């Protein structure tokens, strides 16, 4: 198993973030690149690799600071990767207070957490802690917990139906809407409540890794982040990514991101295909 499905989804969708497409058969564009999504996934990988210990509710704030320290560190390495203004202001100021963003960035970067822990309770706690520095809102935390939970269940070979039912019951999302219905009216909006459920649906209504990412990018919305979320869950579920996607994406990934993922993979992901 290899934790690059989310990064690949980010790269494939990056070109279409500003050039929204509704075409499922869109071309992989050579100008695609990794964005802040991949950078922050690497940051979470690093935080968990350094300290994978479980936490209690009483230790959420301390753990949040550890995640936050890695967000700032990786931002300093890639300040031009496409970060939003709110995140830039927070990351550039060591004394800044926690942000209350409603955006989908907290959900996207929770993907590694779904691999690292062996109970749903701990997965949920860690996902919340990962949000508190920059996405300290009920909406964003819910989305992060939902994505981490989806990865957790997918890697344990739960059926799509069971994953859907768990997420609907736990988070109140309607995940039965047909993709075609979503695509017809979907627009660019990075708010968690708007963009995260469709990204999960793109996985649920896929047939393999590539179709999950194509579903997400062709919604015509926040293509890199929705592709990242759909791709991250799809990889955990299908446990296979086509070689042509690896060949397209791998040369575009910075070595610092690869190293963070490699270290995380070695510690938490079994049956790895390697980088």
């Amino acid at each position: 198993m290899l934790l690059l499905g989310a990064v690949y989804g980010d790269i494939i969708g990056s070109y279409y973030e500003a050039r929204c497409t509704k075409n499922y058969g869109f071309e992989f564009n050579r100008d695609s690149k990794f964005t802040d999504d991949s950078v922050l996934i690497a940051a979470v990988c690093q935080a968990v690799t350094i300290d994978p210990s479980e936490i209690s509710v009483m230790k959420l704030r301390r753990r949040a600071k550890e995640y936050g320290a890695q967000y700032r560190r990786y931002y300093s390495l890639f300040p031009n990767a496409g970060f939003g203004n709110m995140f830039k202001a927070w990351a550039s100021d060591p004394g800044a207070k926690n942000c209350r963003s409603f955006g989908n960035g907290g959900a996207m970067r929770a993907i590694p957490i779904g691999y690292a822990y062996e109970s749903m309770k701990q997965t949920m706690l860690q996902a919340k802690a990962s949000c508190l520095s920059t996405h300290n809102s009920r909406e964003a935390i819910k989305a992060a917990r939902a994505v981490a939970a989806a990865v957790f269940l997918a890697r344990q070979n739960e059926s799509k139906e069971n994953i859907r039912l768990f997420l609907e019951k736990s988070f109140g999302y309607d995940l039965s809407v047909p993709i075609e219905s979503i695509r017809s009216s979907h627009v660019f909006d990075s708010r968690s409540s708007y963009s995260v459920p469709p990204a999960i649906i793109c996985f649920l209504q896929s047939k393999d890794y590539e179709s999950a990412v194509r579903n997400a990018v062709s919604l015509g919305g926040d293509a890199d982040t929705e592709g990242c979320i759909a791709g991250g869950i799809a990889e955990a579920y299908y446990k296979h990514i086509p070689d042509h996607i690896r060949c397209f994406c791998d040369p575009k990934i910075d070595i610092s991101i690869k190293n963070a993922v490699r270290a995380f993979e070695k510690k938490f992901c079994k049956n790895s295909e390697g980088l």
Side-chain angles (χ1 to χ4, degrees):
M1 190 178 299
L2 186 66
L3 188 71
L4 279 179
V7 175
Y8 293 164
D10 172 40
I11 291 170
I12 292 167
S14 64
Y15 179 80
Y16 295 98
E17 181 183 22
R19 306 168 184 83
C20 295
T21 181
K22 302 284 186 176
N23 177 16
Y24 177 87
F26 64 86
E27 294 184 359
F28 289 6
N29 191 279
R30 65 181 182 180
D31 292 329
S32 299
K33 58 187 178 181
F34 72 86
T35 76
D36 57 315
D37 293 358
S38 295
V39 174
L40 292 179
I41 283 174
V44 171
C45 284
Q46 184 74 356
V48 177
T49 301
I50 291 173
D51 182 7
S53 59
E54 296 190 353
I55 59 172
S56 64
V57 173
M58 298 298 292
K59 294 182 178 180
L60 274 171
R61 299 291 172 180
R62 176 191 61 77
R63 184 59 171 150
K65 291 180 180 179
E66 295 173 351
Y67 282 113
Q70 293 301 326
Y71 301 156
R72 285 192 166 106
R73 174 173 174 249
Y74 275 82
Y75 168 76
S76 72
L77 295 175
F78 303 98
N80 300 314
F83 293 93
N85 290 334
M86 182 184 293
F87 185 93
K88 286 182 179 180
W90 172 85
S92 301
D93 180 1
K97 295 182 179 179
N98 293 348
C99 296
R100 209 167 161 267
S101 173
F102 298 93
N104 54 21
M108 159 276 300
R109 69 191 186 206
I111 288 167
I113 292 171
Y115 283 93
Y117 296 95
E118 296 305 318
S119 73
M120 182 63 77
K121 179 180 179 181
Q122 189 59 212
T123 298
M124 296 286 202
L125 281 171
Q126 294 284 343
K128 181 174 182 177
S130 75
C131 282
L132 294 182
S133 294
T134 60
H135 291 71
N136 191 13
S137 68
R138 180 176 297 180
E139 178 180 330
I141 291 169
K142 180 171 79 168
R145 293 171 73 205
V147 170
V151 172
F152 176 88
L153 294 171
R155 75 176 176 86
Q156 295 192 347
N157 302 314
E158 287 288 346
S159 68
K160 288 182 182 178
E161 180 66 6
N162 285 346
I163 294 171
R164 181 183 67 81
L165 290 173
F166 178 86
L167 297 181
E168 288 185 334
K169 181 178 180 180
S170 300
F171 304 106
Y173 294 147
D174 180 2
L175 301 177
S176 61
V177 184
I179 289 174
E180 293 76 12
S181 177
I182 298 171
R183 185 179 288 121
S184 65
S185 59
H186 201 67
V187 296
F188 185 99
D189 187 336
S190 61
R191 185 157 184 152
S192 294
S193 58
Y194 181 85
S195 58
V196 173
I200 296 173
I201 289 171
C202 286
F203 153 68
L204 290 172
Q205 296 182 25
S206 66
K207 60 183 180 181
D208 52 24
Y209 173 83
E210 183 170 354
S211 66
V213 174
R214 285 190 173 279
N215 284 342
V217 174
S218 65
L219 289 179
D222 190 359
D224 58 336
T225 304
E226 289 178 304
C228 180
I229 292 170
I233 302 170
E235 181 188 28
Y237 182 84
Y238 294 112
K239 300 174 176 60
H240 173 73
I241 296 176
D243 288 342
H244 71 275
I245 291 181
R246 294 189 187 279
C247 290
F248 175 78
C249 293
D250 280 343
K252 299 178 181 294
I253 306 173
D254 185 89
I255 190 62
S256 297
I257 293 174
K258 284 186 177 181
N259 285 343
V261 172
R262 183 181 289 118
F264 180 93
E265 172 199 20
K266 184 177 180 180
K267 197 162 191 172
F268 300 106
C269 300
K270 300 177 180 179
N271 302 318
S272 170
E273 297 175 26
L275 281 173

